Amino acid sequence: MKNNIYRSAAQVTAFSTVEKGLSFVYRIILTRIIGAEGIGIYQICLTVFSVFLTVASSGIPVTVSRLMAKSNAVHDVSGKHAAVTAGVLCTLAVTVPIALILFFGRNVFGFLFSDERCIPIFVILLPGLIITSVYAVIRGSFWGNKQFLPYSVIELVEDAIMVASGVFLIWGCTDPVTGARNAVFAVLISYTFSFIASLFWYFKKGGKFVNPKKQLKPLISASTPITAMRTSTSLLNSAVSILMPALLISACGYSNSEAISIYGVAMGMAVPLLFTPNALIGSIAVVVAPELSENYYKKKDKAVRHDVEKTVKASIFIATMLIPVLFVLGPAISEFLFDNELCGELVRNCSFIVLPLCISMITNTVLNSMNCEKRTLLYFCIGAAAMIISVLFLTRYLGIYSYGLGLALSHIICATLNLRLLKKKCSGIAYIKYTLHSIMIVVAASLFGWLLNGIISAYLAPVWQIFICGPLIVAFTLGALYCLEMVSSRPFKKLFARKQKSPKS
């Protein structure tokens, strides 16, 4: 069983890495063609759209997955179909009215955007609100059935379609508004593909819609706190997309165009680099969550404790490997990819955020799999309050860095409280020593990389700094982890180990 988990995690990670790589290349192309202002408009539209998408379906897919895992534990096939049907009905009941209200009242809701040029572009995305929320539920059924390959393939092809259509549509655009509009059209095209492909696979593999009555109440009860937390995340991002440009104008003296450009650099360039571990953390969460839920409902305490400890340590390991690279090579990577100096400064100075980010992301998933949605919602709200306070009161003094500080405070608070709760839920899990050793290694690897890069940066272009310093920093970090016995080759051996044939009776 553990071998299957390693293989599934590797499979999802491989597809997700390629997918994120495509998205990252696309982000570079967008930046080069439509510029920081176009990226800012595009990002504002997607941020507001994500609020409504989150309201409609964010908590439902993971809850569908968990209910299916619970049904698997008691061998209830009809319960699995009922969970999916309940999820589709709930998400349609929310998305269809929202899409209609926003379409016919688009001139009334202009206050949602910090730039009025975003309104007609945002309207293009409204059909995608309905179809992608249905896809999200079907995606949750893939997780619950542990069908990770079709999920991974659909996600990858969706992203490839967005990139291909986006490049075709924005090529030659010189106006940032036109470029942002065409990029949004590409997003809608990709949503349409994933909707059709996911429904086809669901029915092909025996999925059906049945009477959802027995799963409606548990679905709504479990998904509401998750939806509230993720909606709050989207609302927080949307609030920042409105507040930050306005505060940069009023408190820091920037023009509207300059403020939108700075916001575009931060959210469209620097944040995606800092959130690089999303792909790996997301892959781990997708594979571990159904297994963890099933063990939790079967009351396999030892297996749950083992899974939780390994999962938390995996997230810390990912952060440990990434932070020194971002700290040392953030400016070189930003110059090479985006030709933007501010992005490099933001990445370097905010690279430490990656550790609490990784921990808070994975512990949210783990706790939600253990029926702790209300507590994670409360912890998120405390962190969100710190974020808003930082943006509102410190932008005058820190500029765009007030957002970076707020992001750090938010994830530090969530990570700390989540770990504290996990310690109570799974007594005996050990992570403190591993975390402290990881922080020591991050400091040492960052110092090593900084000294090395300081020598070669005077002689080599950014691209060569990346290709020479990057592998050496990674090797140094891995070596330190190995010396402290914090990394093992065992998962890789299990990944490639052949299945042993059971002896004939």
Side-chain angles (χ1 to χ4, degrees), residues 154-453:
I154 291 173
E155 290 278 302
L156 176 58
V157 177
E158 175 193 317
D159 222 57
I161 288 174
M162 182 186 69
V163 172
S165 57
V167 171
F168 176 78
L169 290 171
I170 68 171
W171 198 261
C173 287
T174 55
D175 175 51
V177 177
T178 303
R181 182 196 64 200
N182 291 354
V184 163
F185 267 120
V187 173
L188 181 60
I189 292 170
S190 67
Y191 284 166
T192 304
F193 162 79
S194 56
F195 169 74
I196 295 171
S198 63
L199 282 177
F200 170 78
W201 186 263
Y202 176 71
F203 290 120
K204 184 177 185 295
K205 289 299 179 180
K208 59 179 73 172
F209 293 145
V210 300
N211 190 330
K213 185 177 179 180
K214 67 178 181 179
Q215 293 284 29
L216 271 174
K217 186 176 179 180
L219 177 79
I220 293 171
S221 176
S223 66
T224 299
I226 300 174
T227 299
M229 184 179 73
R230 296 187 179 181
T231 299
S232 300
T233 302
S234 295
L235 285 171
L236 183 64
N237 291 335
S238 185
V240 170
S241 74
I242 296 171
L243 289 172
M244 185 56 71
L247 288 170
L248 288 172
I249 293 169
S250 62
C252 301
Y254 292 105
S255 67
N256 181 69
S257 180
E258 289 172 335
I260 293 294
S261 295
I262 291 172
Y263 174 80
V265 170
M267 299 301 294
M269 301 179 197
V271 168
L273 280 173
L274 292 171
F275 278 52
T276 300
N278 269 13
L280 294 172
I281 298 294
S283 300
I284 295 170
V286 163
V287 175
V288 170
E291 187 77 20
L292 185 59
S293 290
E294 200 168 321
N295 287 333
Y296 179 75
Y297 287 114
K298 288 180 177 179
K299 301 187 183 303
K300 294 183 177 180
D301 296 336
K302 185 176 180 180
V304 169
R305 185 167 57 251
H306 177 271
D307 289 343
V308 169
E309 184 173 317
K310 292 297 182 184
T311 303
V312 171
K313 287 183 177 179
S315 69
I316 297 170
F317 170 79
I318 291 168
T320 304
M321 295 300 301
L322 188 61
I323 292 173
V325 175
L326 291 177
F327 175 78
V328 175
L329 297 175
I333 294 171
S334 300
E335 183 178 344
F336 174 65
L337 296 178
F338 305 118
D339 192 23
N340 190 284
E341 185 177 345
L342 175 60
C343 175
E345 293 175 3
L346 286 169
V347 171
R348 165 172 280 177
N349 296 332
C350 299
S351 58
F352 66 93
I353 293 173
V354 172
L355 179 59
L357 166 70
C358 288
I359 295 174
S360 65
M361 283 178 60
I362 200 65
T363 50
N364 271 335
T365 298
V366 168
L367 288 169
N368 289 340
S369 299
M370 300 167 66
N371 204 24
C372 296
E373 298 93 347
K374 293 179 182 177
R375 296 291 290 274
T376 56
L377 171 61
L378 173 63
Y379 299 160
F380 167 80
C381 290
I382 297 171
M387 160 76 82
I388 290 295
I389 290 171
S390 177
V391 170
L392 283 176
F393 296 102
L394 297 179
T395 300
R396 177 181 300 275
Y397 309 103
L398 303 178
I400 194 66
Y401 281 101
S402 67
Y403 172 73
L405 177 60
L407 193 65
L409 291 173
S410 174
H411 285 292
I412 288 171
I413 290 169
C414 288
T416 303
L417 294 176
N418 283 352
L419 287 172
R420 181 172 172 268
L421 180 56
L422 270 178
K423 196 78 172 177
K424 292 181 179 179
K425 297 285 290 185
C426 301
S427 59
I429 61 169
Y431 59 83
I432 295 177
K433 182 179 178 181
Y434 191 92
T435 304
L436 293 176
H437 284 172
S438 295
I439 292 172
M440 292 169 53
I441 290 171
V442 165
V443 173
S446 298
L447 180 59
F448 165 78
W450 179 71
L451 292 172
L452 178 64
N453 194 55

Side-chain angles (χ1 to χ4, degrees), residues 127-165:
L129 180 63
I130 299 171
I131 61 177
T132 200
S133 64
V134 173
Y135 162 61
V137 176
I138 304 301
R139 183 178 63 204
S141 76
F142 293 160
W143 298 342
N145 282 324
K146 301 179 184 177
Q147 296 176 347
F148 300 116
L149 182 59
Y151 152 73
S152 300
V153 171
I154 291 173
E155 290 278 302
L156 176 58
V157 177
E158 175 193 317
D159 222 57
I161 288 174
M162 182 186 69
V163 172
S165 57

Side-chain angles (χ1 to χ4, degrees), residues 101-111 113 119-120 122-123 126:
I101 291 170
L102 289 174
F103 179 78
F104 290 107
R106 55 187 177 275
N107 295 325
V108 178
F109 295 102
F111 66 89
F113 306 93
I119 298 174
F122 173 78
V123 171
L126 289 179

